[in-house]
Amino acid sequence: MNSTIVNKHFISLIFFVLVKITAIAQTTGSISGTILQKNNQRPLSGANITLAGTNLSTATDLTGRFRMMDIPVKSYNLLVSSIGFKTFTLYNIVVNSGNENVYTIELEQQAAELSEVVIKANKRSVRAATLETPLSVQRLTAEEIRSNPGGDFDISKVIQTLPGVGGGQQGGSFRNDIIIRGGGPNENVFYLDGIEIPVINHFQTQGSSGGPQGILNTFFIEDVKLNSSAFDARYDNALSSVFQFKQKNGNANKFQGNARISTSETALTLEGPLSKNKKTTFLASATRSYFQLLRALIDIPILPSYWDFQTKITHQINDKTTLTFIGIGAIDDFKFVAPNMATPEKLYIINSNAVIQQWNYSVGASLKRSIKNGYWNLALSRTRFNNNIQKHEDNENPTAANKTLDLVSNETETKLRFDMNTFRKGWKFSYGASTQLAQYDNKTFAVIKKEVRDAANNIVQPAVVQNFNSPLKPFARLGAFVQVGKRVLQNRLGISAGIRTDMNTFTTDGMNGLQTLSPRLSFSYVLADKWTLNASSGIYYKIPVYTVLGFADNNDVLVNKNAKYQRATHYTTGFEFLPNDGLRITLEGFYKQYGNVPVSVRDGISLANLGADFNVLGNEAVNTNGNGKTYGVEFFVQKKLTERFFGILSYTYYRSLYSGTDNKLIPSSWDNQHLLSVTCGYKFPRNWELGLKFRYQGGSPYTPFDETASRINYLSQGKGTLNYNELNTQRLNGFNSSDIRIDKKWNFKKFTIDLFLDITNWYLAKNPSIPEYTWTRTDDNSAFKTTDGQPVQADGSNAIPTRVKNDDANFRPNIGVIIEF
């Protein structure tokens, strides 16, 4: 069906629905939730809940629950207070008539002995820091995520508004490569309700973390917390960041849901009670892409499609014990389609990329139990990631003879984690352990270099081929940690110290826990009513990715068994300034020093430069003797919603350098140096909302092509061969872009309709891109031009090299509707 006709029907349907239900308009909504004591996770009865600027208030019952109904629809700030606890403010909650918002809020106990200065500072709930992580921490609420301009309901895109977060080598590309303070894209870990999830993007690069579209459903998320240093010792494998995604609980009072229909995907989310006593609730969602419309509109030669699924079931066994089950998964399919109008750029895309089929899932159950002066968590989870990649010399006409890549791989982890958290006489103690069974298989056929002969049948280049079936057997990973903290000097000084160790049964020195001892220490001192000085230092370790550990030679012998844990040592200090309850300003300086970084034996470069494409990172022989360092300064301002306006400003200046075989520190692929982001929003009367975002990212380094090797290998690889002797000696221009989002809501008796327009790069800024090596084509794009008018030679000797530069503006309008019911 013609895309124009589909769009007309879509718009007509929206208009028809609006007209039909206007007669049952409604102007009130409701909110509900549970208030817990942070220290022991028990329900807090008698807590006061107030909507700021109104006379509307209620209190929690004996189970810690509350419900407030008949609230005029608009945006509010929610205040929660109780005697002996710090007052908490939840900003920018949007009350609609369609869905009842559900919140789980933890109140922190107020210390008995506090100076007046500390009392004033503690009242400011815009603070995001904790005793363990007093700095390098940011938090975004559900509404900030969903309303982010250009975010497209994708958390991986939204977090690029935060300080120190880059969007990959080419900032305007469609990938979600998360680069934190100049570290590599595989240095981040992700936790969903305390359970680690290794895959958060569709079409994720194996061995890394990026992909073009996020998997997580933003309507599940209550808030997101990003730590870019001072990591709590309970988290393993983090070198650059820890993401904690907190999901909301399902509505215990009624069944409800929402449907989202846009120009790129449809999504359905449902939630409600599963028991009459309201102790069991569920959340469930499914999302389906349909890029066919977008592909037809702009005539791109690729067709990605995906499904994703997510669920959460919460059961309160009693007032001390809660059982939670979570599940998330995706099915991805990436293939090529013939363009309506062939161009050199489109034909280059077809033959330089691979066909990708992936599926993944993460499931887990966690048990949380309150005890005297604390609580414990027990979590059992399983994750699996299947990756199938194929590439041919001619992707439009694939045959067994012209296949250059065939990879089928699985990564499976079964994990058991336990942690205990106690609070006694002002001291906070946490300790725990984890064990997991790691399983990996990989069958790879890859033509690194094809045998090439000249016209006289002389061998110009011998073949280099990978052909192995990884013999890596299942192995165990073990970890343990201790963390202790206390506030002293009338609570003006907070001190937290921790240590952890990690081991495994596969690598040569894997069971030597002393080699991975990772101490960390943090300080926080309240200088004055509005000022806090923070500092931290720590050593962190990460096991090599499974593609490295499971790589074998052509005799199926594992070659990376001697690989060491990569190490990062952090030094961070900064100030936090809280002028009022809704405004937070931070200034931080950081320095990270890397050791044991994997270096490619074949190419002599650090793998820290790789991982931002659709290939596989680490599927080769490595030496873990590389080094690196990143350093910089960050400035951040966050204005929570007050008087209709909210906004975020962040700026980071940093350097990122890594060494290869030659031990020389040179700029990495992520050395953009400048990151600037400004996001703001304004809520107008009659449920109109406007959001605007501007981003600037400094030009990234890139590597020029080896002209001789590119000419010889272009026919088999479909792209040029990089000259790693000149690694990152060139640099792109800086990238800038602005996104705009407009929302209009209509509230009816049992429905809310949100019509949105989200435009990425509305002023059509060009996206600086690497000029890719290719050969000049004939006028009709049916073949390559040659110097002698004959068919192109196998060694490319008569081809005419040129460059193709896909730097067109990445302009993406997304119109859609969200129906809450």
Side-chain angles (χ1 to χ4, degrees):
M1 184 180 292
N2 184 278
S3 62
T4 303
I5 296 175
V6 173
N7 285 332
K8 285 181 179 179
H9 284 301
F10 175 62
I11 295 171
S12 299
L13 175 62
I14 294 173
F15 179 77
F16 175 78
V17 172
L18 291 176
V19 171
K20 280 292 184 183
I21 61 178
T22 298
I24 52 174
Q26 169 113 335
T27 57
T28 62
S30 58
I31 61 173
S32 63
T34 305
I35 309 300
L36 302 175
Q37 302 176 54
K38 186 174 183 179
N39 284 4
N40 59 21
Q41 296 295 293
R42 290 184 183 177
L44 180 60
S45 62
N48 297 311
I49 295 92
T50 305
L51 292 178
T54 75
N55 295 321
L56 299 174
S57 64
T58 189
T60 56
D61 60 19
L62 292 176
T63 65
R65 295 194 180 111
F66 71 92
R67 192 181 190 193
M68 191 181 298
M69 305 182 70
D70 299 322
I71 306 170
V73 292
K74 59 178 289 190
S75 296
Y76 298 91
N77 293 332
L78 183 72
L79 277 65
V80 184
S81 62
S82 184
I83 296 174
F85 292 83
K86 299 177 184 179
T87 299
F88 178 86
T89 303
L90 183 60
Y91 294 90
N92 194 9
I93 68 166
V94 180
V95 176
N96 297 319
S97 60
N99 284 174
E100 178 176 287
N101 292 336
V102 181
Y103 302 102
T104 302
I105 298 172
E106 299 177 355
L107 290 192
E108 187 176 352
Q109 283 186 316
Q110 187 80 62
E113 296 182 2
L114 294 175
S115 68
E116 183 179 356
V117 169
V118 175
I119 290 175
K120 292 180 179 178
N122 282 341
K123 287 183 177 179
R124 295 179 174 86
S125 54
V126 70
R127 183 189 303 274
T130 63
L131 179 62
E132 299 83 6
T133 309
L135 76 173
S136 302
V137 56
Q138 315 295 342
R139 174 172 277 142
L140 293 174
T141 65
E143 185 61 23
E144 290 170 328
I145 295 167
R146 290 198 287 263
S147 62
N148 186 272
D152 197 22
F153 302 96
D154 186 344
I155 294 175
S156 298
K157 291 183 175 68
V158 174
I159 60 172
Q160 294 177 27
T161 63
L162 298 177
V165 183
Q169 193 173 27
Q170 299 169 157
S173 73
F174 55 88
R175 284 181 57 90
N176 287 336
D177 296 299
I178 301 173
I179 309 300
I180 307 290
R181 290 180 170 178
N186 67 347
E187 297 179 9
N188 315 297
V189 295
F190 311 95
Y191 285 84
L192 186 66
D193 287 345
I195 292 177
E196 186 177 1
I197 51 171
V199 182
I200 67 166
N201 283 300
H202 291 284
F203 307 102
Q204 181 157 308
T205 302
Q206 190 173 8
S208 190
S209 63
Q213 181 69 33
I215 295 175
L216 294 174
N217 184 344
T218 57
F219 287 92
F220 275 50
I221 304 300
E222 193 163 320
D223 68 46
V224 177
K225 185 177 180 182
L226 164 63
N227 298 351
S228 49
S229 192
F231 308 135
D232 191 313
R234 74 185 67 234
Y235 300 116
D236 65 314
N237 244 28
L239 298 182
S240 282
S241 75
V242 176
F243 285 86
Q244 300 171 60
F245 302 105
K246 178 186 175 184
Q247 298 184 110
K248 68 178 185 178
N249 291 326
N251 194 329
N253 300 306
K254 65 172 185 176
F255 177 85
Q256 63 182 28
N258 68 73
R260 186 176 81 249
I261 307 169
S262 71
T263 52
S264 60
E265 64 182 20
T266 59
L268 177 66
T269 302
L270 302 173
E271 62 175 300
L274 289 176
S275 62
K276 293 182 179 180
N277 60 10
K278 301 183 180 181
K279 290 188 175 182
T280 308
T281 63
F282 83 95
L283 288 162
S285 74
T287 303
R288 175 71 165 105
S289 69
Y290 49 90
F291 285 102
Q292 293 90 337
L293 297 179
L294 180 62
R295 195 210 70 78
L297 180 66
I298 60 179
D299 192 28
I300 55 176
I302 59 175
L303 182 58
S305 62
Y306 59 78
W307 284 88
D308 62 58
F309 312 91
Q310 194 168 339
T311 189
K312 177 181 180 179
I313 299 173
T314 305
H315 175 62
Q316 187 176 357
I317 299 174
N318 53 48
D319 64 346
K320 294 183 179 180
T321 311
T322 302
L323 176 65
T324 301
F325 170 82
I326 69 166
I328 184 170
I331 303 171
D332 305 331
D333 184 26
F334 178 97
K335 60 184 179 181
F336 301 105
V337 291
N340 296 326
M341 181 178 295
T343 66
E345 291 80 8
K346 295 173 185 176
L347 295 174
Y348 175 82
I349 290 174
I350 292 175
N351 279 330
S352 63
N353 290 285
V355 173
I356 302 172
Q357 293 178 320
Q358 294 181 351
W359 56 263
N360 69 83
Y361 68 81
S362 295
V363 294
S366 62
L367 190 67
K368 178 182 290 186
R369 179 167 176 82
S370 174
I371 59 174
K372 184 179 180 181
N373 300 319
Y375 63 94
W376 54 257
N377 291 297
L378 178 66
L380 176 65
S381 64
R382 180 178 172 88
T383 66
R384 187 168 182 183
F385 175 53
N386 173 273
N387 191 23
N388 190 331
I389 301 178
Q390 290 190 354
K391 187 177 182 299
H392 297 78
E393 293 182 16
D394 184 355
N395 278 332
E396 291 185 288
N397 301 289
T399 65
N402 67 19
K403 182 181 292 185
T404 57
L405 176 63
D406 190 355
L407 179 145
V408 179
S409 178
N410 288 278
E411 298 180 6
T412 307
E413 293 179 330
T414 304
K415 309 175 187 180
L416 181 65
R417 294 176 181 268
F418 176 81
D419 62 80
M420 178 73 73
N421 308 271
T422 60
F423 303 82
R424 297 176 182 173
K425 296 182 180 180
W427 288 89
K428 179 179 179 180
F429 296 93
S430 299
Y431 59 89
S434 63
T435 181
Q436 59 181 285
L437 178 67
Q439 298 168 273
Y440 177 78
D441 61 76
N442 181 358
K443 187 173 183 179
T444 293
F445 169 80
V447 178
I448 306 302
K449 294 180 180 180
K450 187 176 182 179
E451 181 183 282
V452 177
R453 296 174 180 264
D454 60 18
N457 203 33
N458 298 311
I459 295 179
V460 177
Q461 174 182 272
V464 178
V465 177
Q466 289 180 349
N467 192 0
F468 69 90
N469 191 351
S470 177
L472 181 62
K473 297 183 183 301
F475 66 96
R477 291 172 55 184
L478 310 168
F481 78 92
V482 176
Q483 185 100 26
V484 60
K486 183 177 175 58
R487 298 191 185 276
V488 296
L489 301 179
Q490 293 185 301
N491 271 41
R492 296 188 72 153
L493 175 63
I495 304 174
S496 182
I499 191 168
R500 76 167 290 122
T501 184
D502 291 283
M503 297 175 288
N504 76 86
T505 59
F506 169 67
T507 60
T508 303
D509 298 324
M511 290 303 292
N512 186 346
L514 295 177
Q515 289 191 357
T516 58
L517 277 180
S518 51
R520 71 255 352 243
L521 182 65
S522 298
F523 296 92
S524 178
Y525 186 75
V526 180
L527 297 171
D529 171 20
K530 302 174 182 178
W531 290 89
T532 305
L533 172 65
N534 305 297
S536 73
S537 179
I539 300 174
Y540 311 103
Y541 285 94
K542 170 181 167 50
I543 193 171
V545 293
Y546 292 123
T547 50
V548 167
L549 298 179
F551 177 76
D553 61 21
N554 289 354
N555 294 316
D556 291 345
V557 176
L558 297 167
V559 300
N560 292 325
K561 191 175 175 64
N562 291 327
K564 298 182 180 297
Y565 282 74
Q566 186 174 342
R567 183 185 68 250
T569 304
H570 291 207
Y571 304 94
T572 312
T573 188
F575 293 93
E576 183 179 56
F577 178 51
L578 305 175
N580 56 57
D581 196 39
L583 182 61
R584 177 172 177 248
I585 303 173
T586 63
L587 178 66
E588 294 184 8
F590 62 89
Y591 181 89
K592 295 193 292 184
Q593 190 171 22
Y594 289 91
N596 301 339
V597 181
V599 174
S600 169
V601 172
R602 181 178 66 235
D603 300 321
I605 68 167
S606 173
L607 296 195
N609 290 289
L610 308 176
D613 55 20
F614 292 101
N615 211 315
V616 175
L617 174 65
N619 199 31
E620 58 182 303
V622 302
N623 290 318
T624 50
N625 57 4
N627 296 300
K629 66 178 181 180
T630 71
Y631 57 89
V633 61
E634 292 177 351
F635 178 69
F636 178 66
V637 180
Q638 185 174 29
K639 171 72 168 60
K640 293 291 188 177
L641 175 70
T642 53
E643 299 300 327
R644 298 184 177 273
F645 174 80
F646 57 95
I648 292 176
L649 182 149
S650 67
Y651 171 74
T652 304
Y653 171 79
Y654 73 99
R655 296 301 311 273
S656 173
L657 306 105
Y658 286 88
S659 69
T661 303
D662 58 5
N663 291 320
K664 290 183 179 179
L665 290 173
I666 63 172
S668 77
S669 299
W670 328 117
D671 185 47
N672 299 92
Q673 301 185 13
H674 299 279
L675 298 173
L676 173 66
S677 176
V678 182
T679 305
C680 59
Y682 191 83
K683 294 179 179 286
F684 294 91
R686 303 181 66 85
N687 294 319
W688 284 92
E689 183 173 336
L690 173 67
L692 190 66
K693 178 170 67 180
F694 172 82
R695 285 195 304 130
Y696 173 80
Q697 181 170 296
S700 61
Y702 71 93
T703 303
F705 292 98
D706 183 319
E707 294 293 333
T708 302
S710 294
R711 182 184 289 270
I712 294 174
N713 292 289
Y714 184 79
L715 278 180
S716 64
Q717 300 300 312
K719 56 185 178 181
T721 303
L722 297 176
N723 182 2
Y724 286 126
N725 291 325
E726 299 183 24
L727 178 67
N728 291 337
T729 54
Q730 307 294 315
R731 190 176 287 269
L732 296 172
N733 293 325
F735 159 78
N736 69 89
S737 176
S738 181
D739 310 326
I740 188 170
R741 180 182 170 112
I742 301 172
D743 284 78
K744 167 60 179 173
K745 292 185 176 71
W746 290 269
N747 286 283
F748 304 96
K749 187 174 182 179
K750 293 184 178 180
F751 295 87
T752 295
I753 295 181
D754 179 358
L755 184 64
F756 65 88
L757 173 64
D758 196 354
I759 302 177
T760 299
N761 193 16
W762 61 269
Y763 61 66
L764 302 177
K766 286 194 172 185
N767 175 36
S769 63
I770 297 172
E772 300 290 355
Y773 180 96
T774 187
W775 291 343
T776 303
R777 290 186 173 270
T778 57
D779 293 338
D780 61 359
N781 291 306
S782 62
F784 293 114
K785 282 185 177 180
T786 57
T787 56
D788 55 9
Q790 299 299 313
V792 67
Q793 297 291 329
D795 62 358
S797 56
N798 62 342
I800 305 173
T802 187
R803 296 291 187 271
V804 59
K805 193 171 184 181
N806 291 313
D807 59 355
D808 293 337
N810 185 14
F811 172 77
R812 293 197 309 271
N814 187 18
I815 185 171
V817 62
I818 303 169
I819 303 174
E820 297 182 3
F821 53 87

